[in-house]
Amino acid sequence: MKFFVHTYGCQMNVRDSEAVEALMIAAGHERARSEEDAEIVIVNSCTVRQKAEEKAVGKAGNLIAAKKITGLMGCAVKRMGEDVFKRLPKLDFAVGPRCFGLIPHIVDRITAGGERHVIETGADEVPDGIGAHPDSSKSGASPFQAYVTVLLGCDNRCSYCIVPDVRGHEYSRPANEVIAEVKSLVENGVKEVCLLGQSVLRYGVRNPAWRDGDPNPGGFKEAFPRLLHALNGIPGLERIRFTSAHPKGCTDELVRVYRECPKVCRHLHLPVQSGSDRILSGMGRRYTRDEYLSAVSKLRTLDPGFAVTTDVIVGYPGETDEDFEMTRSLMEEAGFDNSFIFKYSPRPGTRSALLPDDVPVAEKERRDQVLLADQEKRGARRNGLLVGSVRRVLAEGPSKRNPARWSGRDGGNRIVVWDVKEGVVERQGSLVDIKITEAHPQTLIGERI
Ligand code: SAH
Ligand code: SF4
């Protein structure tokens, strides 16, 4: 049957959806070109904020009204459990984020016998198909970029965060399995991989990722830097990215990898959440403002062009104007290349949900706007430093707005756009050198050299 997967939320969800596509295709189904064209639609949901959950659940509701076979997967399912059928009485099936491998079997049961209302919320299992990638010609995936899940779950317990409840305990996939997966992607044309985990620098902490006797030519003590070093040696692979990183994991071994491994992109997404020590401690983040800033300065000492991006929450319970101004000044001091600002949303069952959500909505909105405006200026200024320099860019394809232009990303994950010169044939997935001529807050413009 023709199916379509509609994805909300983070990169981890994007990756899980791809694995589901691969499993569905392997089970004999065909990926529909659009949702309208599909008989089965699976919505991969997010629950990190209330709004995100509502969007996904609302989407599933619309699909049910359109008489599609509708399934819900992902984080919202695990949070709601059986209650999902109260919200969506006609939903056909629901699976949690760590058991999406069951979807093809559930679909079989439903289409064969008309069984309805199947739910598997799962716990800490490793989903079947965790390493399955669809052939890019049969899926929506890029032929030259791929996500690879390395760490499932999260054992940090940040006070506001529901992720550990829905994605379970940490599990590090064995390094040999990850390396084999990346090699096979590279054999199929992939040039850039992005390794995924909620707190990916904790790779190998809860369970060992490396076996005794595995080679360790760099002499690493920490599992994640060792993995990066091993992947850096794979011929044909051009770039290695990873996300997300908890500031606690920005160790000297990690910095050494940035120095020694040219394929590891000099970009780190390092969510700070707040610039106030009082709020950071309430959040249970386990670092101070100064510790955070010194991690950033280690990276910028290595390379002033090192791109550091972040997540910030505004309106955490008890956040005063003073706390907020501390966040503002931290963001300026850290010189973030980009940042994602979230308005605090209490999540049931988290520690902070017990505190009064006392920052008024309008004030959260104001703080959000202030930080966005600051980031616009800072982004333009950071990007301005690159005018005149040459950036190595992975060509992604014609720009959506103007097909005479191509766009791609540099190692810092900055979007770079250039005019295609007459007689030049650009190739998707190739590395090109672009001289930067103009800077905007979110994009760089340049010419091919
Ligand atoms: N594991 C990642 C973050 C996953 S959630 C990490 O720790 O880096 C992505 C972002 O959503 C978080 O960094 C945080 O800024 C935001 N977030 C999480 N819970 C939230 C909540 N209850 N309200 C508002 N924002 C939240
Ligand atoms: Fe949530 Fe903190 Fe884990 Fe990130 S590190 S997923 S914010 S608990």
Side-chain angles (χ1 to χ4, degrees):
M1 292 173 83
K2 285 192 177 175
F3 74 94
F4 193 82
V5 187
H6 198 102
T7 308
Y8 292 93
C10 64
Q11 290 101 327
M12 189 75 79
N13 267 13
V14 172
R15 169 66 200 124
D16 291 349
S17 292
E18 276 174 16
V20 169
E21 289 192 355
L23 294 171
M24 288 289 283
I25 293 166
H29 300 283
E30 188 193 336
R31 183 179 185 272
R33 234 168 265 138
S34 68
E35 194 181 284
E36 291 71 37
D37 200 27
E39 297 152 273
I40 306 171
V41 184
I42 302 161
V43 177
N44 195 352
S45 61
C46 174
T47 187
V48 78
R49 285 167 297 279
Q50 182 62 29
K51 279 230 171 79
E53 181 176 297
E54 279 159 17
K55 261 196 214 157
V57 174
K59 178 79 196 172
N62 295 340
L63 292 163
I64 292 166
K67 300 214 182 315
K68 308 280 182 191
I69 297 178
T70 305
L72 194 64
M73 63 183 273
C75 298
V77 172
K78 180 70 178 164
R79 196 196 70 74
M80 289 191 279
E82 292 281 347
D83 284 353
V84 69
F85 294 118
K86 288 192 193 140
R87 293 275 296 277
L88 298 167
K90 292 190 175 158
L91 184 70
D92 293 291
F93 65 93
V95 293
R98 283 179 71 164
C99 53
F100 59 72
L102 301 171
I103 289 178
H105 312 289
I106 294 175
V107 165
D108 277 353
R109 269 150 65 194
I110 288 175
T111 52
E115 191 181 354
R116 289 287 189 273
H117 293 169
V118 184
I119 181 160
E120 303 282 354
T121 52
D124 281 347
E125 55 265 56
V126 181
D128 281 343
I130 183 82
H133 290 263
D135 170 346
S136 61
S137 66
K138 292 185 187 153
S139 79
S142 156
F144 54 90
Q145 288 165 316
Y147 287 126
V148 174
T149 302
V150 301
L151 178 72
L152 308 184
C154 183
D155 285 351
N156 285 322
R157 281 273 169 187
C158 304
S159 63
Y160 50 83
C161 187
I162 198 163
V163 170
D165 294 330
V166 293
R167 284 202 171 259
H169 281 300
E170 286 173 2
Y171 169 75
S172 298
R173 293 180 63 206
N176 63 325
E177 204 176 300
V178 173
I179 294 166
E181 185 174 325
V182 173
K183 280 186 178 154
S184 130
L185 287 165
V186 170
E187 277 160 22
N188 286 297
V190 165
K191 306 274 184 224
E192 176 179 305
V193 292
C194 179
L195 311 178
L196 299 180
Q198 294 300 333
S199 189
V200 73
L201 304 177
R202 285 178 53 85
Y203 181 71
V205 172
R206 188 183 174 92
N207 65 294
W210 295 92
R211 300 164 302 190
D212 290 346
D214 278 337
N216 186 10
F220 289 96
K221 291 199 182 69
E222 295 163 18
F224 192 68
R226 184 172 168 189
L227 180 67
L228 293 173
H229 187 267
L231 296 176
N232 189 66
I234 297 178
L237 180 63
E238 303 278 6
R239 277 180 171 180
I240 304 162
R241 300 185 184 280
F242 56 89
T243 199
S244 221
H246 189 283
K248 272 266 177 210
C250 188
T251 60
D252 291 345
E253 283 204 350
L254 184 71
V255 176
R256 181 181 139 206
V257 164
Y258 281 121
R259 190 181 311 114
E260 292 177 3
C261 302
K263 294 179 186 177
V264 178
C265 291
R266 292 185 170 182
H267 168 219
L268 190 60
H269 186 64
L270 201 61
V272 67
Q273 314 301 359
S274 171
S276 150
D277 282 339
R278 203 176 65 82
I279 298 290
L280 285 172
S281 138
M283 287 175 164
R285 292 289 289 177
R286 298 180 295 110
Y287 54 84
T288 62
R289 171 193 178 96
D290 283 352
E291 283 165 347
Y292 183 90
L293 286 169
S294 70
V296 173
S297 97
K298 274 201 276 191
L299 303 170
R300 294 268 171 73
T301 306
L302 173 73
D303 176 355
F306 201 113
V308 183
T309 57
T310 205
D311 292 344
V312 169
I313 297 177
V314 290
Y316 183 80
E319 186 186 67
T320 61
D321 247 333
E322 204 180 322
D323 293 317
F324 172 68
E325 288 302 325
M326 297 289 280
T327 298
R328 258 187 109 178
S329 68
L330 175 133
M331 292 179 78
E332 202 46 40
E333 277 178 54
F336 290 123
D337 294 86
N338 203 355
S339 52
F340 300 88
I341 320 296
F342 301 103
K343 286 172 265 182
Y344 174 72
S345 156
R347 306 306 292 129
T350 59
R351 272 180 289 137
S352 69
L354 302 172
L355 305 171
D357 181 12
D358 55 2
V359 179
V361 176
E363 181 58 16
K364 285 180 186 164
E365 182 60 35
R366 185 191 73 85
R367 292 178 188 178
D368 183 35
Q369 292 302 324
V370 169
L371 296 188
L372 287 173
D374 285 356
Q375 185 60 51
E376 279 281 298
K377 284 190 221 132
R378 190 185 311 119
R381 202 181 61 233
R382 289 279 308 161
N383 279 346
L385 299 174
L386 299 172
V387 172
S389 72
V390 174
R391 305 300 297 169
R392 177 143 289 193
V393 173
L394 188 78
E396 291 182 3
S399 133
K400 281 189 194 97
R401 280 193 227 136
N402 176 359
R405 286 184 149 184
W406 266 52
S407 84
R409 284 174 193 265
D410 76 350
N413 216 27
R414 304 173 185 95
I415 298 168
V416 181
V417 179
W418 66 98
D419 286 322
V420 178
K421 285 199 184 136
E422 264 200 43
V424 177
V425 181
E426 299 289 3
R427 276 182 307 119
Q428 267 196 335
S430 63
L431 284 169
V432 296
D433 285 331
I434 305 290
K435 184 165 186 188
I436 305 304
T437 52
E438 240 180 87
H440 298 274
Q442 306 276 355
T443 17
L444 295 167
I445 316 277
E447 26 188 74
R448 183 92 137 78
I449 56 168

